[in-house]
Amino acid sequence: VTRPGPAGDEEGQSPGRVHARNLVLGVGTEPYVPEPLRPLAEAPNVPVLHSSDYLEHRERLLATGHVTVIGSGQSGAEVFLDLLRNRPLGAEGLHWLARTPAFAPMEYSKLGLEQFSPDYTRYFHTLPEPVRDQLVPRQWQLYKGIAHETIDAIHHELYRRALHSDGWPGAVLTPGVTVRTAGRIAAARLELHLEHTQQGTRARHTTEAVVLATGYRERPVDTLLAALDPYIRRDASERPRVEADHRLVLDPVIKGSVYVQNAERHTHGVGTPDLGLAAWRSAVILNSLLAEPAYRLPSRTAFTAFGLQPSGRCDTVIGGPHLPDQRGPLARTRT
Ligand SMILES: Cc1cc2nc3c(=O)[nH]c(=O)nc-3n(C[C@H](O)[C@H](O)[C@H](O)COP(=O)(O)OP(=O)(O)OC[C@H]3O[C@@H](n4cnc5c(N)ncnc54)[C@H](O)[C@@H]3O)c2cc1C
């Protein structure tokens, strides 16, 4: 790396500019709002916010007559639960809408979690692109579901409210619903146009506030790498091709390497943003950068043998020193 020099105006020496042989990008994710919901976020006077801003607006939402939460991941569930617990009994004024066919639990079985292991990541990387593209959306319950405890707490609170009021609580929970369009209809009211995919029905829904628990997406690296664009090799869907060691496939004319972390779900699968794999990912990248590997990495990390070996033999013996942690394959972190 060339540090900025005192002169400050030579090529590569001006303040804020450095030279590097290689680059590792780890720019993370940002709150995501689906296209049909974007006009909502621009609605003046009406609280429409992403769940990442929930705590800042919580008091205002608790005082609003009717609130709709969109999204059935962990964030949506926690926001819904907090509103439910803190709004008046019998006058909850809450709607929880989700596109998923059910308010479903997150996959948390120990063998299920082995899909967040280096072994699975390596296996996923070897699959053909169309297979990988089909797999990721089907694995939504691995990372988009709700913790069992949160589902239990929501049901418990609804049940408690039903017991202590005259009837059903004023909270409507509807899965399988897509928001087609949305907009403001009065000074402080919003209208959502909904579609139930299984039923094939449509309805209008009015509310006074919306919490968009619609998740996070990888920050696009295209802008950062605009100058390299002609040299980046892409797949059939125009996404950068990424090697197993997280290195972008570049035209050989480029001598340095560019590595990405958390921008390679299409090539490395659901474990891409997982914190439990962060240390392994970083070690793979560092080993790839250095002439001699600095980190000894286990050749096997899961009890499941993903895929068949070309020989057809499935009788590999587990190596002693690298047995997975008792709590799970990589003692996966989950909040
Ligand atoms: C609400 C929530 C709950 C989660 N829970 C879990 C969980 O329980 N278990 C789990 O495994 N994972 C969980 N995740 C996912 C996990 O937290 C993230 O995938 C992980 O933190 C991402 O780490 P990262 O280093 O890739 O990116 P980040 O931690 O987002 O860091 C990216 C950094 O890059 C900086 N940056 C961005 N753009 C630029 C730029 N142009 N120039 C310079 N710097 C830039 C940002 O400011 C930031 O500091 C959760 C994520 C969220 C949002």
Side-chain angles (χ1 to χ4, degrees), residues 26-29 75 216 219 224 261-262 273-276 332-335:
V27 290
T29 54
S75 300
Y216 298 78
R219 271 196 191 91
L224 291 174
Q261 292 208 66
N262 213 346
D274 194 80
L275 289 173
R332 186 165 180 236
T333 44
R334 272 276 155 223
T335 48

Side-chain angles (χ1 to χ4, degrees), residues 240-255:
R241 284 169 50 203
V242 190
E243 302 278 20
D245 61 2
H246 302 265
R247 194 155 36 105
L248 293 187
V249 182
L250 299 175
D251 188 301
V253 78
I254 305 291
K255 296 299 170 218

